[in-house]
Amino acid sequence: MENNIIENNITIGIEGLVGAGKTSICRELLDKIPNSIILHGGNLYRGIVFALMNSGIDMSKIMNNSDKPIDIKQMMDILKVELKIENRESVVYVDGKEINEESLQSDTTMAVSKIAKDADNTKFYIFGRKLIDAYKKQYNLIISGRDLMKIYPELDYHFFVTADIDTRVDRKMHQYEDETITREELKKHIEERDMLQEQAGFYKRYSKTIDVDVTECKNAEESAMKILEKIAQ
């Protein structure tokens, strides 16, 4: 099946609702699509916010200054945030130090949603487009992130992963095993992030977009297989 799907290097964009399992699905696709790498666009954005939060800059001024939106690419350059490919996945470095995915996920979640809603992403999107073009020359790309159709309208496939709210809460709970957060608090947290993402326009569907509901999928592999079936069609 795999060899029948992939003939030329392709770009597969994976977006979706908060907690729908995008990252896990991407890693399942990585195992099933030959000569592929994952670009975790969301983690790069989180890396920039992570660097901001640890830079001593007053975050309240950034998030409340709608008159002068923060230039994300400028901050990326100033704070020395880089993306490298290691073990077929993108990894984020800040000032030469690798930032682990757990820190990016847990420390920046709400700040990213709030900053992204009003930030100036223009130059960052141009950077993203050039990055995709460069890697596509060598690899099949699995790209996870937000606003992917704006960054790269030529995506070969654009999937939007959905699941009902209770399923998403259940799947997110394991990330908070060491924290004293209740299920209801987590549900409220996810709903607030959904609202911010919607307001920012990140849940927009396009003519190319294929919605994939993974509510009934037992695991990430089943979810990934639903996407591969769409590609095969």
Side-chain angles (χ1 to χ4, degrees), residues 15 117 147 150 195-206:
E15 299 193 52
K117 185 167 70 72
D147 241 5
K150 280 189 179 178
M195 180 188 67
L196 289 168
Q197 302 281 10
E198 186 76 47
Q199 289 175 350
F202 295 152
Y203 285 175
K204 183 178 179 181
R205 312 303 207 272
Y206 298 80

Side-chain angles (χ1 to χ4, degrees), residues 19-148:
K22 298 180 292 295
T23 301
S24 298
I25 289 170
C26 286
R27 288 185 172 134
E28 287 292 335
L29 291 173
L30 187 68
D31 287 338
K32 300 177 187 306
I33 297 175
N35 190 41
S36 60
I37 62 171
I38 303 174
L39 296 180
H40 296 287
N43 278 355
L44 179 56
Y45 209 100
R46 290 186 192 98
I48 298 167
V49 175
F50 178 90
L52 269 171
M53 293 171 69
N54 289 278
S55 67
I57 296 172
D58 188 340
M59 293 295 290
S60 64
K61 290 183 178 179
I62 290 174
M63 290 193 281
N64 297 319
N65 188 3
S66 57
D67 293 332
K68 190 178 180 181
I70 181 173
D71 185 326
I72 291 297
K73 181 59 169 66
Q74 184 182 51
M75 285 296 102
M76 178 181 170
D77 295 338
I78 290 172
L79 299 169
K80 300 179 182 177
V81 181
E82 298 177 278
L83 179 145
K84 300 180 182 180
I85 301 297
E86 298 177 2
N87 299 317
R88 298 174 63 200
E89 297 188 44
S90 63
V91 178
V92 177
Y93 282 78
V94 176
D95 200 13
K97 180 181 178 182
E98 180 181 349
I99 307 301
N100 66 59
E101 191 169 305
E102 289 74 21
S103 294
L104 294 177
Q105 294 283 350
S106 61
D107 296 348
T108 65
T109 299
M110 192 57 71
V112 167
S113 295
K114 290 179 179 177
I115 289 174
K117 185 167 70 72
D118 298 313
D120 181 354
N121 295 311
T122 307
K123 293 176 183 176
F124 182 71
Y125 284 9
I126 292 171
F127 165 79
R129 182 179 180 82
K130 290 179 179 178
L131 195 71
I132 292 169
D133 277 335
Y135 281 119
K136 188 183 177 182
K137 294 175 183 177
Q138 293 180 269
Y139 305 103
N140 294 303
L141 299 187
I142 303 160
I143 309 163
S144 174
R146 300 291 185 197
D147 241 5
L148 296 181

Side-chain angles (χ1 to χ4, degrees), residues 1-2 4-8 10-14 25 29 32-33 140-142 156-159 210 212 223-233:
M1 181 179 181
E2 295 167 9
N4 290 335
I5 291 174
I6 307 300
E7 294 180 356
N8 300 306
I10 61 171
T11 51
I12 303 170
I14 306 290
I25 289 170
L29 291 173
K32 300 177 187 306
I33 297 175
N140 294 303
L141 299 187
I142 303 160
D156 293 287
Y157 301 94
H158 182 240
F159 293 101
I210 301 171
V212 179
S223 300
M225 289 306 299
K226 289 191 76 169
I227 287 175
L228 285 174
E229 287 167 6
K230 298 287 186 184
I231 294 174
Q233 291 171 8

Side-chain angles (χ1 to χ4, degrees), residues 167-181:
T167 299
R168 291 187 284 139
V169 172
D170 290 341
R171 291 174 182 173
K172 272 285 185 184
M173 276 301 291
H174 76 277
Q175 293 183 13
Y176 296 88
E177 288 176 353
D178 299 327
E179 300 181 34
T180 55
I181 186 170

